Amino acid sequence: MGTGLQISSITMTAFYVILLFIWKLTFPDFTAPAAVEVMIWASAIIRIAVCLLPQNNWSTDEGNLKLSILRNGVFAVTGIGVMILYAISGNAGGYHMTKMVAAILISFGCYLPVTLFSRTKPKVGLLMIPKTCAYMWIIAMGLQLLGSWNG
């Protein structure tokens, strides 16, 4: 299960970078503030680098709490950057991207308690269900944006 957690941590980061590209392609009239784009890229690269460290002890029961807090704190920065972009675009083009912001907030609101407390309070892991639902909502909105490019 440890390798799966590591891979999912990296792919979740890539997911938010993909959302950056979807935003840029969907809203070419908007320019991402340089600081926000740097924030997204830097935090994503740092998170992936931290996820690759063997000190994470992905395959052990004890893990590494300090690295978990670091990699998830940095991941939150990535999410905040993406939320800022979708908040900037707002209702441009009738897309209602404030819903994307809400979905990302729900996702992180459910994910972060799991990463912090699931080892000591396993029932907190149930928050992964609404987190996954939020991800499905994000994917549906992303597909809607992709579909708008054709026509």
Side-chain angles (χ1 to χ4, degrees):
M1 188 156 126
T3 303
L5 290 171
Q6 182 183 38
I7 291 168
S8 68
S9 292
I10 293 168
T11 56
M12 285 177 6
T13 307
F15 179 78
Y16 281 92
V17 173
I18 290 168
L19 286 175
L20 163 66
F21 283 106
I22 290 172
W23 184 85
K24 287 178 138 195
L25 291 169
T26 304
F27 302 104
D29 295 339
F30 289 93
T31 302
V36 173
E37 197 161 348
V38 167
M39 179 174 130
I40 292 168
W41 278 108
S43 60
I45 291 166
I46 291 168
R47 173 160 162 98
I48 290 170
V50 171
C51 286
L52 293 172
L53 293 173
Q55 294 87 346
N56 281 289
N57 301 324
W58 291 104
S59 297
T60 66
D61 287 339
E62 66 271 357
N64 185 320
L65 182 61
K66 287 180 184 178
L67 284 181
S68 177
I69 291 169
L70 173 64
R71 70 179 178 261
N72 288 301
V74 172
F75 185 45
V77 171
T78 306
I80 290 167
V82 173
M83 283 189 287
I84 290 169
L85 293 179
Y86 283 90
I88 287 170
S89 57
N91 193 33
Y95 292 119
H96 305 285
M97 285 296 100
T98 51
K99 293 178 184 177
M100 182 73 82
V101 175
I104 294 170
L105 275 172
I106 291 167
S107 173
F108 273 95
C110 294
Y111 173 73
L112 292 176
V114 172
T115 63
L116 294 172
F117 305 115
S118 65
R119 290 194 191 273
T120 56
K121 301 195 183 316
K123 289 183 181 180
V124 172
L126 290 171
L127 287 172
M128 292 305 274
I129 296 169
K131 176 213 150 298
T132 301
C133 292
Y135 262 52
M136 300 293 281
W137 187 21
I138 292 168
I139 291 168
M141 285 185 278
L143 290 172
Q144 175 188 14
L145 292 174
L146 290 174
S148 71
W149 298 341
N150 295 328

PDB file of all heavy atoms in Angstrom, residues 5 65 68 72 107-131:
ATOM      1  N   LEU A   5       0.363   4.836  -2.083  1.00  0.00           N
ATOM      2  CA  LEU A   5       0.205   6.159  -1.468  1.00  0.00           C
ATOM      3  C   LEU A   5       1.176   7.156  -2.086  1.00  0.00           C
ATOM      4  O   LEU A   5       0.819   8.306  -2.358  1.00  0.00           O
ATOM      5  CB  LEU A   5       0.427   6.079   0.044  1.00  0.00           C
ATOM      6  CG  LEU A   5      -0.647   5.360   0.849  1.00  0.00           C
ATOM      7  CD1 LEU A   5      -0.189   5.170   2.296  1.00  0.00           C
ATOM      8  CD2 LEU A   5      -1.948   6.138   0.804  1.00  0.00           C
ATOM      9  N   LEU A  65       5.951  11.599  10.043  1.00  0.00           N
ATOM     10  CA  LEU A  65       5.002  12.680  10.295  1.00  0.00           C
ATOM     11  C   LEU A  65       5.520  14.028   9.804  1.00  0.00           C
ATOM     12  O   LEU A  65       4.774  14.803   9.200  1.00  0.00           O
ATOM     13  CB  LEU A  65       4.647  12.756  11.781  1.00  0.00           C
ATOM     14  CG  LEU A  65       3.622  13.823  12.166  1.00  0.00           C
ATOM     15  CD1 LEU A  65       2.293  13.573  11.457  1.00  0.00           C
ATOM     16  CD2 LEU A  65       3.425  13.850  13.674  1.00  0.00           C
ATOM     17  N   SER A  68       5.261  14.148   6.132  1.00  0.00           N
ATOM     18  CA  SER A  68       3.843  14.172   5.773  1.00  0.00           C
ATOM     19  C   SER A  68       3.285  15.586   5.895  1.00  0.00           C
ATOM     20  O   SER A  68       2.584  16.071   5.002  1.00  0.00           O
ATOM     21  CB  SER A  68       3.052  13.214   6.666  1.00  0.00           C
ATOM     22  OG  SER A  68       1.684  13.293   6.371  1.00  0.00           O
ATOM     23  N   ASN A  72       2.240  17.740   2.536  1.00  0.00           N
ATOM     24  CA  ASN A  72       0.836  18.130   2.427  1.00  0.00           C
ATOM     25  C   ASN A  72       0.635  19.625   2.604  1.00  0.00           C
ATOM     26  O   ASN A  72      -0.279  20.202   2.009  1.00  0.00           O
ATOM     27  CB  ASN A  72      -0.009  17.299   3.393  1.00  0.00           C
ATOM     28  CG  ASN A  72      -0.114  15.879   2.901  1.00  0.00           C
ATOM     29  OD1 ASN A  72      -0.604  15.632   1.803  1.00  0.00           O
ATOM     30  ND2 ASN A  72       0.386  14.928   3.673  1.00  0.00           N
ATOM     31  N   SER A 107     -12.373  19.416  -1.378  1.00  0.00           N
ATOM     32  CA  SER A 107     -11.385  18.349  -1.497  1.00  0.00           C
ATOM     33  C   SER A 107     -10.290  18.478  -0.442  1.00  0.00           C
ATOM     34  O   SER A 107      -9.972  17.521   0.268  1.00  0.00           O
ATOM     35  CB  SER A 107     -10.771  18.379  -2.907  1.00  0.00           C
ATOM     36  OG  SER A 107      -9.711  17.474  -2.988  1.00  0.00           O
ATOM     37  N   PHE A 108      -9.700  19.667  -0.336  1.00  0.00           N
ATOM     38  CA  PHE A 108      -8.647  19.860   0.656  1.00  0.00           C
ATOM     39  C   PHE A 108      -9.190  19.811   2.079  1.00  0.00           C
ATOM     40  O   PHE A 108      -8.530  19.305   2.980  1.00  0.00           O
ATOM     41  CB  PHE A 108      -7.906  21.180   0.414  1.00  0.00           C
ATOM     42  CG  PHE A 108      -6.785  21.040  -0.562  1.00  0.00           C
ATOM     43  CD1 PHE A 108      -6.977  21.335  -1.898  1.00  0.00           C
ATOM     44  CD2 PHE A 108      -5.539  20.583  -0.155  1.00  0.00           C
ATOM     45  CE1 PHE A 108      -5.946  21.194  -2.812  1.00  0.00           C
ATOM     46  CE2 PHE A 108      -4.503  20.433  -1.052  1.00  0.00           C
ATOM     47  CZ  PHE A 108      -4.706  20.740  -2.391  1.00  0.00           C
ATOM     48  N   GLY A 109     -10.397  20.321   2.269  1.00  0.00           N
ATOM     49  CA  GLY A 109     -11.004  20.281   3.598  1.00  0.00           C
ATOM     50  C   GLY A 109     -11.217  18.864   4.100  1.00  0.00           C
ATOM     51  O   GLY A 109     -11.174  18.603   5.301  1.00  0.00           O
ATOM     52  N   CYS A 110     -11.413  17.939   3.189  1.00  0.00           N
ATOM     53  CA  CYS A 110     -11.587  16.533   3.562  1.00  0.00           C
ATOM     54  C   CYS A 110     -10.257  15.782   3.587  1.00  0.00           C
ATOM     55  O   CYS A 110     -10.069  14.878   4.390  1.00  0.00           O
ATOM     56  CB  CYS A 110     -12.545  15.842   2.589  1.00  0.00           C
ATOM     57  SG  CYS A 110     -14.225  16.474   2.679  1.00  0.00           S
ATOM     58  N   TYR A 111      -9.343  16.163   2.706  1.00  0.00           N
ATOM     59  CA  TYR A 111      -8.080  15.440   2.574  1.00  0.00           C
ATOM     60  C   TYR A 111      -7.114  15.728   3.726  1.00  0.00           C
ATOM     61  O   TYR A 111      -6.507  14.811   4.272  1.00  0.00           O
ATOM     62  CB  TYR A 111      -7.427  15.804   1.235  1.00  0.00           C
ATOM     63  CG  TYR A 111      -6.042  15.259   1.048  1.00  0.00           C
ATOM     64  CD1 TYR A 111      -5.840  13.901   0.808  1.00  0.00           C
ATOM     65  CD2 TYR A 111      -4.925  16.084   1.112  1.00  0.00           C
ATOM     66  CE1 TYR A 111      -4.565  13.392   0.642  1.00  0.00           C
ATOM     67  CE2 TYR A 111      -3.656  15.579   0.946  1.00  0.00           C
ATOM     68  CZ  TYR A 111      -3.474  14.239   0.704  1.00  0.00           C
ATOM     69  OH  TYR A 111      -2.219  13.733   0.551  1.00  0.00           O
ATOM     70  N   LEU A 112      -6.950  16.991   4.085  1.00  0.00           N
ATOM     71  CA  LEU A 112      -5.940  17.336   5.092  1.00  0.00           C
ATOM     72  C   LEU A 112      -6.189  16.688   6.455  1.00  0.00           C
ATOM     73  O   LEU A 112      -5.240  16.182   7.062  1.00  0.00           O
ATOM     74  CB  LEU A 112      -5.782  18.856   5.185  1.00  0.00           C
ATOM     75  CG  LEU A 112      -5.155  19.488   3.932  1.00  0.00           C
ATOM     76  CD1 LEU A 112      -5.124  21.002   4.043  1.00  0.00           C
ATOM     77  CD2 LEU A 112      -3.762  18.947   3.657  1.00  0.00           C
ATOM     78  N   PRO A 113      -7.425  16.634   6.961  1.00  0.00           N
ATOM     79  CA  PRO A 113      -7.614  15.935   8.243  1.00  0.00           C
ATOM     80  C   PRO A 113      -7.234  14.448   8.162  1.00  0.00           C
ATOM     81  O   PRO A 113      -6.714  13.882   9.126  1.00  0.00           O
ATOM     82  CB  PRO A 113      -9.104  16.095   8.545  1.00  0.00           C
ATOM     83  CG  PRO A 113      -9.542  17.256   7.760  1.00  0.00           C
ATOM     84  CD  PRO A 113      -8.672  17.291   6.539  1.00  0.00           C
ATOM     85  N   VAL A 114      -7.476  13.839   7.011  1.00  0.00           N
ATOM     86  CA  VAL A 114      -7.129  12.423   6.845  1.00  0.00           C
ATOM     87  C   VAL A 114      -5.624  12.251   6.945  1.00  0.00           C
ATOM     88  O   VAL A 114      -5.132  11.351   7.634  1.00  0.00           O
ATOM     89  CB  VAL A 114      -7.666  11.865   5.510  1.00  0.00           C
ATOM     90  CG1 VAL A 114      -7.136  10.467   5.241  1.00  0.00           C
ATOM     91  CG2 VAL A 114      -9.192  11.855   5.519  1.00  0.00           C
ATOM     92  N   THR A 115      -4.874  13.122   6.268  1.00  0.00           N
ATOM     93  CA  THR A 115      -3.422  12.980   6.299  1.00  0.00           C
ATOM     94  C   THR A 115      -2.851  13.249   7.687  1.00  0.00           C
ATOM     95  O   THR A 115      -1.844  12.664   8.060  1.00  0.00           O
ATOM     96  CB  THR A 115      -2.737  13.930   5.290  1.00  0.00           C
ATOM     97  OG1 THR A 115      -3.006  15.268   5.653  1.00  0.00           O
ATOM     98  CG2 THR A 115      -3.206  13.659   3.882  1.00  0.00           C
ATOM     99  N   LEU A 116      -3.511  14.097   8.446  1.00  0.00           N
ATOM    100  CA  LEU A 116      -2.993  14.436   9.765  1.00  0.00           C
ATOM    101  C   LEU A 116      -3.434  13.474  10.864  1.00  0.00           C
ATOM    102  O   LEU A 116      -2.691  13.232  11.815  1.00  0.00           O
ATOM    103  CB  LEU A 116      -3.420  15.862  10.136  1.00  0.00           C
ATOM    104  CG  LEU A 116      -2.833  16.974   9.275  1.00  0.00           C
ATOM    105  CD1 LEU A 116      -3.478  18.304   9.623  1.00  0.00           C
ATOM    106  CD2 LEU A 116      -1.326  17.041   9.422  1.00  0.00           C
ATOM    107  N   PHE A 117      -4.639  12.918  10.752  1.00  0.00           N
ATOM    108  CA  PHE A 117      -5.202  12.191  11.898  1.00  0.00           C
ATOM    109  C   PHE A 117      -5.587  10.740  11.646  1.00  0.00           C
ATOM    110  O   PHE A 117      -6.001  10.051  12.576  1.00  0.00           O
ATOM    111  CB  PHE A 117      -6.434  12.936  12.424  1.00  0.00           C
ATOM    112  CG  PHE A 117      -6.171  14.370  12.774  1.00  0.00           C
ATOM    113  CD1 PHE A 117      -6.789  15.395  12.073  1.00  0.00           C
ATOM    114  CD2 PHE A 117      -5.295  14.700  13.791  1.00  0.00           C
ATOM    115  CE1 PHE A 117      -6.541  16.718  12.377  1.00  0.00           C
ATOM    116  CE2 PHE A 117      -5.040  16.028  14.104  1.00  0.00           C
ATOM    117  CZ  PHE A 117      -5.663  17.041  13.405  1.00  0.00           C
ATOM    118  N   SER A 118      -5.491  10.253  10.419  1.00  0.00           N
ATOM    119  CA  SER A 118      -6.012   8.915  10.131  1.00  0.00           C
ATOM    120  C   SER A 118      -5.262   7.808  10.857  1.00  0.00           C
ATOM    121  O   SER A 118      -5.832   6.765  11.156  1.00  0.00           O
ATOM    122  CB  SER A 118      -6.034   8.644   8.627  1.00  0.00           C
ATOM    123  OG  SER A 118      -4.728   8.612   8.109  1.00  0.00           O
ATOM    124  N   ARG A 119      -3.989   8.004  11.158  1.00  0.00           N
ATOM    125  CA  ARG A 119      -3.233   6.961  11.874  1.00  0.00           C
ATOM    126  C   ARG A 119      -3.719   6.810  13.311  1.00  0.00           C
ATOM    127  O   ARG A 119      -3.742   5.717  13.837  1.00  0.00           O
ATOM    128  CB  ARG A 119      -1.746   7.269  11.855  1.00  0.00           C
ATOM    129  CG  ARG A 119      -1.127   7.099  10.475  1.00  0.00           C
ATOM    130  CD  ARG A 119       0.385   7.081  10.568  1.00  0.00           C
ATOM    131  NE  ARG A 119       1.011   7.184   9.271  1.00  0.00           N
ATOM    132  CZ  ARG A 119       1.275   6.151   8.486  1.00  0.00           C
ATOM    133  NH1 ARG A 119       0.964   4.948   8.876  1.00  0.00           N
ATOM    134  NH2 ARG A 119       1.858   6.338   7.327  1.00  0.00           N
ATOM    135  N   THR A 120      -4.114   7.905  13.931  1.00  0.00           N
ATOM    136  CA  THR A 120      -4.562   7.833  15.320  1.00  0.00           C
ATOM    137  C   THR A 120      -6.079   7.712  15.433  1.00  0.00           C
ATOM    138  O   THR A 120      -6.580   7.202  16.428  1.00  0.00           O
ATOM    139  CB  THR A 120      -4.094   9.081  16.111  1.00  0.00           C
ATOM    140  OG1 THR A 120      -4.569  10.258  15.461  1.00  0.00           O
ATOM    141  CG2 THR A 120      -2.571   9.118  16.212  1.00  0.00           C
ATOM    142  N   LYS A 121      -6.787   8.206  14.429  1.00  0.00           N
ATOM    143  CA  LYS A 121      -8.247   8.138  14.408  1.00  0.00           C
ATOM    144  C   LYS A 121      -8.686   7.626  13.038  1.00  0.00           C
ATOM    145  O   LYS A 121      -9.052   8.422  12.152  1.00  0.00           O
ATOM    146  CB  LYS A 121      -8.847   9.500  14.716  1.00  0.00           C
ATOM    147  CG  LYS A 121      -8.424  10.058  16.066  1.00  0.00           C
ATOM    148  CD  LYS A 121      -9.285  11.193  16.494  1.00  0.00           C
ATOM    149  CE  LYS A 121      -8.867  11.821  17.796  1.00  0.00           C
ATOM    150  NZ  LYS A 121      -8.520  10.986  18.871  1.00  0.00           N
ATOM    151  N   PRO A 122      -8.660   6.315  12.847  1.00  0.00           N
ATOM    152  CA  PRO A 122      -8.923   5.734  11.519  1.00  0.00           C
ATOM    153  C   PRO A 122     -10.256   6.132  10.890  1.00  0.00           C
ATOM    154  O   PRO A 122     -10.356   6.209   9.668  1.00  0.00           O
ATOM    155  CB  PRO A 122      -8.868   4.225  11.766  1.00  0.00           C
ATOM    156  CG  PRO A 122      -8.059   4.065  13.009  1.00  0.00           C
ATOM    157  CD  PRO A 122      -8.318   5.300  13.832  1.00  0.00           C
ATOM    158  N   LYS A 123     -11.275   6.421  11.691  1.00  0.00           N
ATOM    159  CA  LYS A 123     -12.572   6.788  11.117  1.00  0.00           C
ATOM    160  C   LYS A 123     -12.516   8.103  10.342  1.00  0.00           C
ATOM    161  O   LYS A 123     -13.374   8.359   9.497  1.00  0.00           O
ATOM    162  CB  LYS A 123     -13.642   6.842  12.200  1.00  0.00           C
ATOM    163  CG  LYS A 123     -14.015   5.463  12.713  1.00  0.00           C
ATOM    164  CD  LYS A 123     -15.130   5.522  13.722  1.00  0.00           C
ATOM    165  CE  LYS A 123     -15.422   4.110  14.204  1.00  0.00           C
ATOM    166  NZ  LYS A 123     -16.491   4.083  15.186  1.00  0.00           N
ATOM    167  N   VAL A 124     -11.499   8.918  10.612  1.00  0.00           N
ATOM    168  CA  VAL A 124     -11.319  10.156   9.854  1.00  0.00           C
ATOM    169  C   VAL A 124     -11.114   9.823   8.375  1.00  0.00           C
ATOM    170  O   VAL A 124     -11.442  10.619   7.493  1.00  0.00           O
ATOM    171  CB  VAL A 124     -10.125  10.974  10.411  1.00  0.00           C
ATOM    172  CG1 VAL A 124      -9.790  12.162   9.542  1.00  0.00           C
ATOM    173  CG2 VAL A 124     -10.426  11.439  11.821  1.00  0.00           C
ATOM    174  N   GLY A 125     -10.619   8.616   8.103  1.00  0.00           N
ATOM    175  CA  GLY A 125     -10.418   8.168   6.727  1.00  0.00           C
ATOM    176  C   GLY A 125     -11.689   8.190   5.897  1.00  0.00           C
ATOM    177  O   GLY A 125     -11.635   8.247   4.663  1.00  0.00           O
ATOM    178  N   LEU A 126     -12.839   8.180   6.545  1.00  0.00           N
ATOM    179  CA  LEU A 126     -14.112   8.265   5.815  1.00  0.00           C
ATOM    180  C   LEU A 126     -14.250   9.575   5.038  1.00  0.00           C
ATOM    181  O   LEU A 126     -15.028   9.651   4.087  1.00  0.00           O
ATOM    182  CB  LEU A 126     -15.293   8.095   6.772  1.00  0.00           C
ATOM    183  CG  LEU A 126     -15.475   6.690   7.349  1.00  0.00           C
ATOM    184  CD1 LEU A 126     -16.528   6.697   8.446  1.00  0.00           C
ATOM    185  CD2 LEU A 126     -15.857   5.718   6.236  1.00  0.00           C
ATOM    186  N   LEU A 127     -13.474  10.581   5.435  1.00  0.00           N
ATOM    187  CA  LEU A 127     -13.517  11.853   4.707  1.00  0.00           C
ATOM    188  C   LEU A 127     -12.972  11.715   3.283  1.00  0.00           C
ATOM    189  O   LEU A 127     -13.174  12.603   2.456  1.00  0.00           O
ATOM    190  CB  LEU A 127     -12.721  12.927   5.455  1.00  0.00           C
ATOM    191  CG  LEU A 127     -13.383  13.467   6.718  1.00  0.00           C
ATOM    192  CD1 LEU A 127     -12.419  14.380   7.476  1.00  0.00           C
ATOM    193  CD2 LEU A 127     -14.665  14.206   6.372  1.00  0.00           C
ATOM    194  N   MET A 128     -12.336  10.594   2.992  1.00  0.00           N
ATOM    195  CA  MET A 128     -11.857  10.382   1.621  1.00  0.00           C
ATOM    196  C   MET A 128     -13.030  10.178   0.660  1.00  0.00           C
ATOM    197  O   MET A 128     -12.880  10.388  -0.540  1.00  0.00           O
ATOM    198  CB  MET A 128     -10.899   9.193   1.566  1.00  0.00           C
ATOM    199  CG  MET A 128      -9.574   9.443   2.291  1.00  0.00           C
ATOM    200  SD  MET A 128      -8.704  10.902   1.722  1.00  0.00           S
ATOM    201  CE  MET A 128      -7.810  10.210   0.344  1.00  0.00           C
ATOM    202  N   ILE A 129     -14.188   9.811   1.183  1.00  0.00           N
ATOM    203  CA  ILE A 129     -15.365   9.641   0.318  1.00  0.00           C
ATOM    204  C   ILE A 129     -15.819  10.989  -0.242  1.00  0.00           C
ATOM    205  O   ILE A 129     -15.912  11.154  -1.464  1.00  0.00           O
ATOM    206  CB  ILE A 129     -16.500   8.887   1.047  1.00  0.00           C
ATOM    207  CG1 ILE A 129     -16.043   7.454   1.386  1.00  0.00           C
ATOM    208  CG2 ILE A 129     -17.778   8.882   0.202  1.00  0.00           C
ATOM    209  CD1 ILE A 129     -16.966   6.714   2.322  1.00  0.00           C
ATOM    210  N   PRO A 130     -16.081  12.004   0.607  1.00  0.00           N
ATOM    211  CA  PRO A 130     -16.457  13.297   0.016  1.00  0.00           C
ATOM    212  C   PRO A 130     -15.299  13.933  -0.763  1.00  0.00           C
ATOM    213  O   PRO A 130     -15.536  14.648  -1.741  1.00  0.00           O
ATOM    214  CB  PRO A 130     -16.873  14.154   1.209  1.00  0.00           C
ATOM    215  CG  PRO A 130     -16.379  13.451   2.414  1.00  0.00           C
ATOM    216  CD  PRO A 130     -16.241  12.011   2.065  1.00  0.00           C
ATOM    217  N   LYS A 131     -14.051  13.654  -0.367  1.00  0.00           N
ATOM    218  CA  LYS A 131     -12.904  14.150  -1.133  1.00  0.00           C
ATOM    219  C   LYS A 131     -12.941  13.587  -2.551  1.00  0.00           C
ATOM    220  O   LYS A 131     -12.766  14.306  -3.527  1.00  0.00           O
ATOM    221  CB  LYS A 131     -11.587  13.773  -0.474  1.00  0.00           C
ATOM    222  CG  LYS A 131     -10.355  14.170  -1.267  1.00  0.00           C
ATOM    223  CD  LYS A 131      -9.289  13.120  -1.016  1.00  0.00           C
ATOM    224  CE  LYS A 131      -8.326  12.877  -2.090  1.00  0.00           C
ATOM    225  NZ  LYS A 131      -8.644  12.411  -3.353  1.00  0.00           N
TER     226      LYS A 131
END
